[in-house]
Amino acid sequence: MTLAQSSSDFMACADCNIRNRAVCATCEPHELSRLEDIKYYRTFDAGQSIMFEGDEMHFVASVVSGAATLSRTLPDGRIQMVGLLLPSDFIGRPGRDAVAYDVVAIQKVTLCCFRRKPFETMIKDTPHIGQRLLAMTLDELEVAREWMMLLGRKTAREKITCLLSLIGRRTASLHMQKLQDGLSFEMPMSREAMANYLGLTIETVSRQMTALRKDGIIELGGTRTITIPDLAGLMAETGDDTDGMMLT
């Protein structure tokens, strides 16, 4: 584990911005009260490590804001990014003593942390939490299988539009917005991080983003803001069934 800024700010679970998607989404009021007794907040700056592979796991957490990556380092020093953590995603695995991946913030990240042992006790005592965690894990497995196909079979343009679609849909779901033309969101990843995640070069990512802008598929505002003027047009670029890509 790495040291990070601890936050004394307390947010009631019922008022949390990730309440409708997080591990506590199906909890009853008395169950939320128990969670509040074991939770605390931690903040990590962009570039700061949150967890190191192999370290003892002291806490599990939900991402409240920001974004982080999951990665593994090969014996020769090469690093492979294997996952992207966005608001409402869950970090850590109850019942596992050691951290399985390196977790690094790519934006300023705020975590709602739960001490691991009390949280494991709650899973045993509270079916809603265990069931929700299982559902989130199965969703994560499905996304991982889709990503395997993306990395192995799709073109650079399809890879990038799939990633943009994923982040756009997640942002809309988190804020309970409709998926519609004009969808706008902040891209949490740099071009370098996108390249590492998608198995591309930075130059390829930059060329494809420029091409998508020129073709009217995306609009760029500032350094990270992306707007989708024609959502169906973006979905058509992913190489997937449009209805399937609409799922959140």
Side-chain angles (χ1 to χ4, degrees):
M1 299 290 179
T2 186
L3 295 177
Q5 178 182 352
S6 296
S7 174
S8 58
D9 296 336
F10 183 85
M11 180 187 300
C13 290
D15 299 327
C16 183
N17 64 298
I18 61 170
R19 173 75 171 85
N20 66 310
R21 285 189 58 96
V23 69
C24 54
T26 57
C27 287
E28 300 292 342
H30 70 280
E31 296 166 340
L32 291 178
S33 179
R34 285 190 62 188
L35 279 176
E36 287 177 345
D37 289 339
I38 64 170
K39 79 177 186 183
Y40 58 97
Y41 293 98
R42 298 182 73 181
T43 299
F44 298 81
D45 292 328
Q48 190 174 7
S49 294
I50 298 172
M51 296 180 176
F52 291 104
E53 179 182 356
D55 280 359
E56 183 179 357
M57 186 181 299
H58 297 290
F59 67 88
V60 295
S62 291
V63 179
V64 177
S65 62
T69 60
L70 296 173
S71 63
R72 275 189 167 167
T73 302
L74 299 176
D76 62 3
R78 288 176 295 167
I79 298 175
Q80 176 62 53
M81 191 185 303
V82 297
L84 177 65
L85 297 167
L86 299 172
S88 78
D89 282 338
F90 192 76
I91 301 177
R93 287 292 178 265
R96 179 175 290 175
D97 294 331
V99 177
Y101 303 99
D102 292 329
V103 185
V104 179
I106 55 174
Q107 288 182 313
K108 186 175 182 178
V109 170
T110 296
L111 301 181
C112 178
C113 304
F114 306 100
R115 297 190 303 277
R116 185 170 63 88
K117 291 297 185 181
F119 187 81
E120 290 174 352
T121 299
M122 275 207 69
I123 290 178
K124 296 176 182 178
D125 299 340
T126 311
H128 285 147
I129 294 178
Q131 291 165 3
R132 175 61 180 160
L133 189 58
L134 175 60
M136 293 176 71
T137 302
L138 292 175
D139 287 344
E140 183 181 335
L141 175 61
E142 184 175 344
V143 169
R145 287 171 173 169
E146 291 177 357
W147 217 251
M148 286 173 62
M149 181 181 70
L150 179 149
L151 293 176
R153 296 296 180 183
K154 294 197 173 185
T155 66
R157 187 177 174 107
E158 288 171 340
K159 289 179 179 181
I160 291 171
T161 51
C162 280
L163 180 60
L164 297 178
S165 171
L166 167 67
I167 294 174
R169 288 179 289 122
R170 283 290 304 273
T171 301
S173 176
L174 183 67
H175 297 291
M176 303 183 73
Q177 299 172 342
K178 290 184 178 180
L179 285 171
Q180 57 189 4
D181 293 348
L183 176 67
S184 185
F185 57 92
E186 182 182 0
M187 190 66 183
M189 310 173 74
S190 66
R191 300 287 173 90
E192 181 180 8
M194 290 174 65
N196 289 337
Y197 191 39
L198 297 173
L200 303 171
T201 65
I202 299 175
E203 293 77 14
T204 297
V205 170
S206 295
R207 284 197 301 268
Q208 292 298 331
M209 291 291 285
T210 299
L212 289 170
R213 179 182 59 79
K214 288 182 177 179
D215 293 342
I217 302 299
I218 63 173
E219 296 174 357
L220 302 177
T223 56
R224 294 286 182 92
T225 302
I226 294 177
T227 300
I228 312 299
D230 178 6
L231 192 59
L234 175 70
M235 297 299 185
E237 294 282 348
T238 65
D240 284 295
D241 174 74
T242 301
D243 292 335
M245 288 301 295
M246 287 291 224
L247 297 175
T248 57

